[in-house]
Amino acid sequence: MRLHINGQPREANAATLNEIWEVEARMKEIDSPRGFAIALNGRVVPKNQWPDTPISDGDQIEIIRALSGG
Amino acid sequence: MNDALIIAGEHIPSRLLIGTAGYPNQKIMVDAIKASGAAVVTLSIRRISLQGHGSDTIGLLDGYRFLPNTAGCETARDAILTAQLAREALGTNWIKLEVIGDRETLYPDASELLEATRVLVDDGFVVLPYCSDDPVLCQRLADLGAAAVMPMGSMIGSGMGVANPANLEVICRRATVPVIVDAGIGTASDAVIAMELGASGVLLNTAVAKADDPVAMAHAMRLAVESGSFARAAGRIPRRGRAEASSPQLGLVGS
């Protein structure tokens, strides 16, 4: 399945948004989703809905975090 | 004037709001924010990096009210999605709305800003738009339901202070919502001037973060905002084009 994550094309083998998150979190050593959020095809998906949100080929996923800013 | 700053019905204990970017290190950031007395801190929202993870800023800032921004967005559409992501990430419906129209000056794009304000107010956000020091734009933003307006003192990061005090005075005099001067503050006197002109508050970042001693400058800014606020409330004397002696003019020795 081909996804676009943060603007980059990515091959992924995942059924739900939560599985995508878990891969990202493991890769980047993130232990808590506090301060993070995900949008699927331009709509924010609340954290508690990640496990029940299916993903499909061509989906656009934005994963963000709050950082220092002015 | 020295009564509380109230935004969207919430009592804000300090009229100085401060950014969290660009400090020499995280300890200095935390110490400077503490020294500033600010209760509201700004944050940015960014895609998680493909290389690795950014530092955990928010974990160091428990107890502060977060004001995420939409810095860098160039369309209402991107700013709206960024605001919605910020709300989910941080659990706050407050947003410092920036929609940039020009990368050199970082001036806001007024039409995109108005559109994003309208949509986000409808979506339940407390919208604090960063805007140009234009009295009509400020009024339009307030009419759309912005909880405050945040006109620039001068260009972001420029340190040029309040470039157009006459505009700012008009904006403050007419405002139906709090006016927070955002951007351009370079040193303490700039913050004093903003407050003396009638601002309800000052939001700054670079002036503290990039000072030689950020913690000391944060303390100076705290005093400056308080000082300007007291001076405004006290009422300054009119400017005169001639001297007026302050000592009694009768009973001079030798007269």
Side-chain angles (χ1 to χ4, degrees):
Chain A
M1 181 164 55
R2 196 166 176 79
L3 303 172
H4 289 266
I5 300 180
N6 289 348
Q8 303 283 327
R10 185 98 67 88
E11 284 298 327
N13 219 340
T16 67
L17 207 51
N18 202 53
E19 290 174 32
I20 297 288
W21 165 255
E22 282 175 352
V23 170
E24 291 295 318
R26 197 161 46 241
M27 270 168 38
K28 299 185 170 66
E29 298 170 355
I30 298 163
D31 46 16
S32 155
R34 183 179 181 228
F36 293 83
I38 302 180
L40 175 63
N41 299 323
R43 297 188 73 89
V44 176
V45 181
K47 290 183 184 82
N48 61 8
Q49 294 175 20
W50 293 352
D52 305 318
T53 303
I55 51 173
S56 43
D57 197 50
D59 276 349
Q60 308 269 346
I61 297 170
E62 293 278 349
I63 308 176
I64 63 86
R65 81 177 300 178
L67 292 175
S68 59
Chain B
M1 189 61 205
N2 284 299
D3 51 352
L5 171 59
I6 294 172
I7 298 175
E10 183 166 330
H11 175 276
I12 309 291
S14 169
R15 293 181 182 275
L16 176 59
L17 296 77
I18 196 161
T20 58
Y23 294 83
N25 59 54
Q26 290 200 316
K27 180 179 187 313
I28 292 176
M29 176 193 76
V30 169
D31 290 348
I33 292 171
K34 191 170 175 203
S36 78
V40 176
V41 296
T42 56
L43 295 167
S44 66
I45 298 297
R46 289 289 178 271
R47 287 171 163 172
I48 57 173
S49 106
L50 299 171
Q51 292 78 34
H53 55 97
S55 53
D56 179 23
T57 304
I58 62 171
L60 302 170
L61 296 170
D62 277 335
Y64 292 94
R65 170 171 265 297
F66 293 140
L67 178 58
N69 68 33
T70 64
C73 290
E74 295 183 338
T75 63
R77 183 169 164 271
D78 287 350
I80 291 162
L81 180 58
T82 300
Q84 291 166 338
L85 285 163
R87 178 168 61 182
E88 170 66 14
L90 294 166
T92 177
N93 63 345
W94 285 37
I95 192 76
K96 172 182 162 176
L97 183 62
E98 285 185 49
V99 190
I100 297 304
D102 175 57
R103 288 189 189 186
E104 184 187 337
T105 61
L106 299 179
Y107 256 61
D109 183 316
S111 62
E112 295 290 312
L113 186 66
L114 288 163
E115 170 63 8
T117 298
R118 186 186 64 75
V119 171
L120 290 170
V121 168
D122 282 352
D123 194 13
F125 280 87
V126 171
V127 180
L128 292 82
Y130 155 73
C131 55
S132 49
D133 57 355
D134 173 344
V136 176
L137 178 59
C138 288
Q139 185 59 55
R140 295 284 180 271
L141 290 164
D143 290 347
L144 285 171
V149 290
M150 303 209 295
M152 56 169 64
S154 49
M155 290 184 287
I156 293 175
S158 70
M160 292 197 294
V162 178
N164 193 334
N167 272 29
L168 186 58
E169 195 276 332
V170 171
I171 290 166
C172 293
R173 179 157 46 80
R174 291 187 182 172
T176 52
V177 294
V179 177
I180 296 167
V181 173
D182 179 7
I185 300 296
T187 187
S189 53
D190 298 332
V192 176
I193 288 168
M195 296 306 291
E196 286 178 347
L197 288 166
S200 301
V202 169
L203 198 169
L204 54 84
N205 185 348
T206 310
V208 166
K210 300 296 189 193
D212 289 343
D213 183 342
V215 179
M217 185 58 88
H219 183 68
M221 291 298 186
R222 174 187 196 152
L223 297 176
V225 168
E226 284 184 18
S227 177
S229 181
F230 273 104
R232 169 74 182 183
R236 60 153 300 147
I237 61 162
R239 287 185 170 82
R240 300 178 208 275
R242 58 183 164 73
E244 187 166 288
S246 47
S247 299
Q249 296 307 293
L250 297 173
L252 293 174
V253 173
S255 59

